[in-house]
Amino acid sequence: MKATDTSKYPRVVIIGGGFGGLEVAKALANKPVEVLMIDKHNYHTFQPLLYQVATGSLEAESIAFSLRKNFDDQENFRFRMAEVTSINPEKHIIDTTTGEIPYDYLVIATGSTTNFFGNKDIEHNAMPMKSIPEALNLRYLVLQNLEEAELLKTREEREPYLNFVLVGAGPTGVELAGALAELKNHILSKDYPELNKHEMKVYLADFLPKVLGPFSDEGSAAAKKFLEKMGVEVMLNAKVESYDGSVITFEGGKKIRTKNVIWSAGVMGVIPGGIDKGLVEKGNRIRVDNICRVAGYSNIFAIGDVAAMITPDTPKGHPGVAQVAIQMGKNVGKNIVRIINNEPAEPFKYFDKGSLATIGRNKAIADLGKLKFQGFFAWLIWMFVHLISLLGFRKKVVVFINWVGSYLSYNGGSRLIMRRYVKEAAPQDAEMMSHPD
């Protein structure tokens, strides 16, 4: 059944080519439906390795996969590169930047974006890292500031360029802190011989009392020990008050002069317009029932980071991790077929396969149910799981070769500045520039 011959079949529109969206589409392969995926990018991003793109260990192409190529053998699949502006549930239509698209079944798999909790100054001045463009912006900012530091004469002048503050001690913050510590310990003196590596400081701050909050106590304690041994200053129970682009201030008065603040303290769902505001739960997530169907709608589903399945077992919804999106995607794909065939849908049940986080060379945390590992063996598990999870054999080979080269040389990656990163003016600054006195 070719996509051009499927007009007589129900159309399933999937918004988003992330982990969940991919699984929905794959579950509908060879089924009597027309599958149309819509995404503003024509590639899938393997987000767990974004931090390696940000620190120059991997090139962006290594973790980006063509959505069209990934489904080139699925005859009922089509793709449109567009941005969804709103949903019209009454007319079963979505509005996009390329026009209206009708649907019979709609799956919202739009994922999440960085949550700055309403602080506009932090939103403007800090660096997020939820996409490949954001990871590249962060890479160029880091490298540009190192280049700038090398030109400055005094330690005081260099200080803000060599202080790196990561806010949020979840897996992203921990992994990025570890990568920056390794850059400091193994690479800085090679690439920038005029800089003293002891002047480069890496801070990891979180308002919670532990790093890797969702992990076991022993895993969290081991991660903190690894980080501190690598030279990272871990600041717990530390809440950020403000950041103006030059100084970050914490509650209690602690201040750090820095041009490098990386924000991973929270995420929020990305919801297209048209969804009833009364269905939006904490974290900007859409309330769904036990088959991931949006409350009040018979043919709209939401999965992954944008879905909130509130039950007695999950009073806060499911964690925002890839496995939740993957399992929800598989469940929704199968249930759409069941609904079309007038068969009962199967409730979603999440199977927690465990949590992994790497801190750096030979250092990782693996909480796999009752099995808990820290150190070298956990690091091997982390590498294996992430390697087999990458799409495409060629990508696996490229990443593996990069990892081996980095491990043997202590100096992997190219760290090229292909374009300068220049931060856009703040809205108030832009308005003042357009209306000078």
Side-chain angles (χ1 to χ4, degrees), residues 145-331:
N145 283 344
L146 292 178
E147 295 286 349
E148 184 70 24
E150 197 169 39
L151 300 176
L152 299 173
K153 302 301 182 184
T154 68
R155 181 168 185 156
E156 184 180 4
E157 289 177 306
R158 291 190 294 269
E159 183 183 13
Y161 295 93
L162 295 177
N163 281 341
F164 295 83
V165 181
L166 297 102
V167 182
T172 298
V174 165
E175 290 174 349
L176 198 47
L180 287 170
E182 290 200 321
L183 187 151
K184 166 191 171 180
N185 295 331
H186 303 302
I187 296 171
L188 189 71
S189 297
K190 297 177 182 178
D191 282 14
Y192 304 91
E194 295 177 28
L195 293 178
N196 183 342
K197 71 176 186 179
H198 299 293
E199 291 185 22
M200 180 174 167
K201 306 291 185 184
V202 181
Y203 301 86
L204 178 63
D206 200 297
F207 71 94
L208 294 174
K210 59 185 282 193
V211 302
L212 296 178
F215 283 61
S216 64
D217 289 342
E218 53 263 56
S220 172
K224 183 173 182 287
K225 184 178 178 181
F226 287 144
L227 288 165
E228 290 175 338
K229 191 173 181 179
M230 296 168 73
V232 177
E233 183 173 328
V234 180
M235 302 166 55
L236 301 177
N237 298 301
K239 187 175 181 181
V240 176
E241 275 191 347
S242 64
Y243 176 54
D244 62 5
S246 297
V247 177
I248 185 170
T249 303
F250 296 88
E251 279 189 357
K254 182 177 177 65
K255 298 177 185 288
I256 299 173
R257 296 174 63 225
T258 178
K259 298 284 187 182
N260 310 284
V261 171
I262 304 159
W263 190 269
S264 61
V267 296
M268 56 190 291
V270 179
I271 302 178
I275 295 295
D276 184 351
K277 299 295 184 185
L279 299 176
V280 179
E281 299 285 343
K282 185 179 180 181
N284 209 44
R285 296 182 298 163
I286 304 170
R287 186 163 69 250
V288 299
D289 63 15
N290 65 353
I291 62 169
C292 297
R293 187 165 47 193
V294 176
Y297 300 103
S298 62
N299 61 344
I300 302 179
F301 299 81
I303 60 175
D305 290 357
V306 77
M309 187 182 291
I310 308 298
T311 69
D313 293 331
T314 57
K316 296 181 180 179
H318 292 87
V321 296
Q323 271 302 318
V324 170
I326 289 169
Q327 293 179 34
M328 281 185 170
K330 291 177 180 178
N331 180 259

